[in-house]
Amino acid sequence: MKRFLILFLLSCLNSCQLDQQTQKPNIIIIYADDLGYGDVSAYGQGKLNTPNIDKLANNGSRFTNGYSSSATCSPSRYALMTGTYPWRNKRAKILTGANLIIDTGEMTIPKMLKTQGYQTAIVGKWHLGLGNSKIDYNKKISPGPNEVGFDYSFIIPDTQDRVPTVYMENGKVVNLDPEDPLEVSFEKNFEGQPTGKDNPELLSMMWHHGHNGSIVNGVPRIGFMKGGEQAKWSDIDMADEFLNQAKRYINKAKETPFFLYYTLQQPHVPRTPHPRYEGTSGMGPRGDAIVEADWCIGELYNHLKKNNLLENTIIILSSDNGPVINDGYYDEAVEKLGDHTPAGRLRGGKYSLFEAGTRVPFITYWKGKIKPAVSDQIVSQIDYLNSIASIVGSDIRSKDGVDLSNVLFQNTGKGRSELILEATSRTAYRSQNWVLIPPYSGPAVSPNVNIEIGNASEYQLYNLEDDIAQQQNLAGSNPQKLREMIDRYESIININ
Ligand code: NG6
Ligand code: CA
């Protein structure tokens, strides 16, 4: 009997060890909103200090040619989730109160991971639309994140500057009092409700362009809302709320492999860091919000460490688009910038076809697996799906992604040779170190945000190898390269 018991215990031990060895890694994608290439101190460009992001960057792979798929949010997020270029989807534009732009039949990272036994969650900003007809926030809204692959969702629907200013959990507005229904409109105000336009005396933050609709917590927003008082979020507590939800999810999901898509709201406008961060950067609320985001990332890291999860968790960190200083509020970002360079030495910023629109902080970390390295390989968020699929043993592949699992997670191999970049429905083409920007009409500098967005009446051709700041247009002096780039660009853009 005793011998049987010992044999039984031994076999249990064996299978436990096997389980541990064969367990698939947890995957966490941390996705910042409008964080620039030069905003992370590990990139050695600006003046901000981001010690917690640096810890991941310096102990993992830090990519210097890492791209978001677009210079704005919703298109980038669409491409990240699906591995499909955003310009193939006509609805993948900056969204405001729109319906879901991912087809529920489309493959996504969380769906792929579910085929491999993962639990999946999103905590943070969504901005990919909700529902498929007029949205009624007083009912459960579907389809949304839960219908495109997430078992659990705790989100803000669009962005912090848009109504409704409420959290949603698994399709339902959190803390909504049925006696105080929530109404939302992007066309007209509800009678008797103050707005940023008509009631500047009620504002704690003044609007600069747009953002003059309903006022919530003293901050004027895009769009109008009425009711739902009890459900309104507290802006200054949003970072803590998302962090706590992320930790709570990890506690719940840690026994099986999990995927957490942790989508920070910082440093997108309105920049409302918790008062404990006030003044920490010396750059006003934009800098303070980045310090706060960095702290959140450190807290998440510590939580994983405390739970012995670091060795079995891949952390990917990036941003949905490049930086913008004034994106619609007077918040001292311009005045207090000093000599900080959010875009580093790159030209342009958010909304731009120039490099700073889409070249973003791009970091992969896996304790004990990824060796510390700086990589200049060309990698894109559109490749996450294929690369993660490859790591977890799935043969699912997306339309436009490349399997870069070696480059991203093993410090070996080559990145992309080419990539289409997108900014507000315009596209550009990168091949090796060359960038082609086709002619586009419109202002060269976007007047509201004061960013060079890449419009010109002529083709632009740059060689990033010795002109990272895109100062020398070589289109005239290199007609052969120009022709070659145009032909290839057009052949990709025209294939569907
Ligand atoms: C623009 C907003 C801008 C920002 C952006 C979305 C105005 C004038 N500008 O329409 O402030 O919200 O949308 O940013 O309203 S993103 O990072 O989510 O793409
Ligand atoms: Ca963004």
Side-chain angles (χ1 to χ4, degrees):
M1 183 64 196
K2 216 168 157 189
R3 238 183 79 203
F4 269 124
L5 199 67
I6 289 172
L7 275 175
F8 175 73
L9 283 174
L10 272 176
S11 87
C12 273
L13 202 67
N14 250 334
S15 70
C16 282
Q17 275 170 349
L18 205 71
D19 261 10
Q20 251 172 21
Q21 278 161 14
T22 54
Q23 212 202 345
K24 300 187 190 235
N26 307 310
I27 315 274
I28 299 182
I29 298 179
I30 304 173
Y31 209 39
D33 195 0
D34 299 1
L35 186 70
Y37 190 84
D39 282 324
V40 171
S41 40
Y43 279 77
Q45 311 264 316
K47 294 277 188 261
L48 266 170
N49 219 352
T50 53
N52 293 296
I53 303 179
D54 290 5
K55 189 156 63 182
L56 299 178
N58 297 333
N59 295 294
S61 280
R62 175 168 72 81
F63 292 89
T64 57
N65 279 282
Y67 287 87
S68 62
S69 299
S70 170
T72 62
C73 174
S74 310
S76 276
R77 284 162 204 258
Y78 171 77
L80 181 150
M81 283 274 287
T82 62
T84 301
Y85 277 131
W87 42 269
R88 294 193 197 282
N89 179 345
K90 298 220 162 358
R91 297 191 301 146
K93 314 248 188 289
I94 300 177
L95 305 182
T96 304
N99 289 134
L100 182 67
I101 61 167
I102 302 178
D103 193 292
T104 50
E106 260 179 287
M107 184 46 70
T108 62
I109 294 178
K111 267 193 194 172
M112 177 278 291
L113 286 170
K114 275 167 73 74
T115 68
Q116 298 298 310
Y118 278 72
Q119 293 188 65
T120 58
I122 173 169
V123 172
K125 165 169 166 172
W126 175 238
H127 214 188
L128 287 167
L130 292 171
N132 51 19
S133 57
K134 192 173 166 15
I135 305 173
D136 180 351
Y137 288 93
N138 303 292
K139 299 195 175 125
K140 184 167 182 184
I141 300 167
S142 170
N146 296 62
E147 286 67 41
V148 296
F150 291 106
D151 298 320
Y152 178 74
S153 64
F154 185 95
I155 58 164
I156 63 171
D158 281 350
T159 55
Q160 209 188 322
D161 59 3
R162 284 159 168 74
V163 301
T165 56
V166 294
Y167 296 115
M168 297 188 65
E169 186 179 36
N170 295 329
K172 283 189 176 155
V173 171
V174 177
N175 282 337
L176 184 65
D177 174 1
E179 305 288 300
D180 181 25
L182 172 57
E183 292 175 78
V184 170
S185 167
F186 292 95
E187 278 89 50
K188 62 178 203 332
N189 191 21
F190 298 94
E191 225 186 298
Q193 300 296 308
T195 64
K197 196 168 175 196
D198 297 333
N199 305 87
E201 74 284 0
L202 299 179
L203 302 180
S204 59
M205 192 190 285
M206 187 59 191
W207 55 279
H208 176 273
H209 57 274
H211 307 97
N212 55 19
S214 288
I215 304 168
V216 182
N217 307 329
V219 180
R221 318 276 168 159
I222 297 173
F224 308 98
M225 70 187 276
K226 188 185 169 192
E229 278 309 317
Q230 196 181 284
K232 287 179 180 171
W233 69 50
S234 158
D235 292 273
I236 55 171
D237 294 311
M238 188 176 283
D240 289 342
E241 179 70 45
F242 285 151
L243 176 65
N244 289 336
Q245 292 292 346
K247 285 186 188 171
R248 192 186 317 173
Y249 178 73
I250 292 170
N251 294 346
K252 229 176 66 195
K254 66 184 177 191
E255 303 306 331
T256 51
F258 67 83
F259 168 56
L260 172 64
Y261 186 30
Y262 178 40
T263 49
L264 310 176
Q265 86 283 12
Q266 305 109 322
H268 195 284
V269 295
R271 293 142 185 161
T272 55
H274 191 275
R276 68 182 185 266
Y277 291 99
E278 222 174 279
T280 49
S281 69
M283 290 174 204
R286 181 176 188 277
D288 297 348
I290 295 175
V291 173
E292 179 189 59
D294 182 73
W295 174 81
C296 292
I297 292 163
E299 284 297 293
L300 190 80
Y301 177 94
N302 292 340
H303 191 71
L304 293 168
K305 190 171 173 187
K306 216 169 62 198
N307 284 281
N308 289 322
L309 291 168
L310 273 184
E311 281 78 4
N312 202 37
T313 302
I314 295 178
I315 303 175
I316 299 171
L317 185 145
S318 199
S319 171
D320 65 341
N321 51 252
V324 53
I325 315 300
N326 175 349
D327 207 12
Y329 294 94
Y330 288 97
D331 63 1
E332 301 186 301
V334 176
E335 295 78 359
K336 292 200 168 161
L337 190 64
D339 49 4
H340 176 57
T341 48
R345 289 190 294 135
L346 307 176
R347 188 170 178 183
K350 182 176 180 177
Y351 310 108
S352 181
L353 277 178
F354 289 122
E355 285 294 286
T358 48
R359 203 198 287 204
V360 286
F362 196 119
I363 294 157
T364 56
Y365 174 90
W366 190 359
K367 190 168 183 216
K369 299 283 194 323
I370 298 176
K371 292 182 225 58
V374 179
S375 169
D376 63 359
Q377 296 299 312
I378 301 174
V379 294
S380 166
Q381 292 161 10
I382 208 169
D383 305 319
Y384 287 170
L385 199 161
N386 287 12
S387 308
I388 295 171
S390 169
I391 279 282
V392 303
S394 158
D395 53 14
I396 289 170
R397 294 293 180 270
S398 70
K399 190 174 178 79
D400 297 313
V402 176
D403 173 5
L404 297 180
S405 50
N406 289 347
V407 185
L408 295 181
F409 309 124
Q410 279 147 18
N411 305 95
T412 59
K414 289 238 162 298
R416 282 176 163 267
S417 59
E418 61 177 3
L419 181 64
I420 300 283
L421 306 169
E422 197 256 9
T424 55
S425 304
R426 301 158 299 144
T427 47
Y429 172 58
R430 175 164 182 181
S431 170
Q432 307 292 0
N433 277 322
W434 292 90
V435 172
L436 171 80
I437 304 180
Y440 289 104
S441 59
V445 176
S446 173
N448 281 333
V449 295
N450 194 24
I451 288 174
E452 288 189 293
I453 51 176
N455 294 330
S457 52
E458 307 287 327
Y459 275 103
Q460 299 177 70
L461 180 69
Y462 298 100
N463 187 344
L464 300 173
E465 186 161 13
D466 39 38
D467 181 22
I468 196 172
Q470 298 180 297
Q471 296 298 306
Q472 306 271 342
N473 182 1
L474 304 176
S477 61
N478 207 334
Q480 203 184 328
K481 190 71 197 174
L482 179 66
R483 189 69 258 160
E484 189 191 303
M485 293 283 284
I486 294 174
D487 288 348
R488 179 65 189 143
Y489 161 74
E490 286 182 348
S491 76
I492 303 174
I493 284 284
N494 294 328
I495 302 170
N496 263 309

